[in-house]
Amino acid sequence: MLHGRAPLIGRLGAGELRLKSAGTVKRWFIEAGFVQVRSNVITVLTANAKPAETVTTEMATTAADQAAALPTTNAVERANKTKARDRAAGMKKVAAKNPTA
């Protein structure tokens, strides 16, 4: 983090969150949320976060299939389907970075 930056609040989409500390990097998959930078402190608020190494290609494929099956008959359903597709795409990107067993 670069010290002395202006405060910031932003919205996060589904995808990877990387935490760098003491020369190590921890990776997390988050579904969505918010980030705040204030007084050189970063705060992340999300409803769901899981270690990135637990996200698999199979999980991403299942999420994509579930998103594709969602109805789109009204604006709320279309918004939910878009969120579900974004979540599946984020999972796919995170899973692709995981080492294969």
Side-chain angles (χ1 to χ4, degrees):
M1 166 111 194
L2 300 172
H3 294 285
R5 297 296 181 195
L8 167 77
I9 295 177
R11 190 160 65 174
L12 301 172
E16 182 180 64
L17 173 69
R18 287 174 288 181
L19 303 174
K20 297 178 184 181
S21 176
T24 63
V25 177
K26 292 184 182 179
R27 297 172 50 239
W28 295 85
F29 169 74
I30 61 169
E31 290 199 15
F34 297 91
V35 63
Q36 177 186 39
V37 180
R38 183 174 159 199
S39 300
N40 297 317
V41 174
I42 299 171
T43 304
V44 175
L45 178 63
T46 183
N48 191 7
K50 60 181 80 178
E53 62 270 7
T54 65
V55 178
T56 65
T57 304
E58 292 79 21
M59 290 170 65
T61 301
T62 299
D65 292 344
Q66 291 171 346
L70 291 174
T72 58
T73 57
N74 60 49
V76 172
E77 288 177 344
R78 286 188 294 275
N80 288 338
K81 186 168 189 160
T82 298
K83 287 178 189 176
R85 278 193 302 222
D86 291 346
R87 178 179 176 269
M91 290 178 84
K92 183 177 178 181
K93 287 179 184 178
V94 169
K97 292 183 180 180
N98 289 335
T100 56

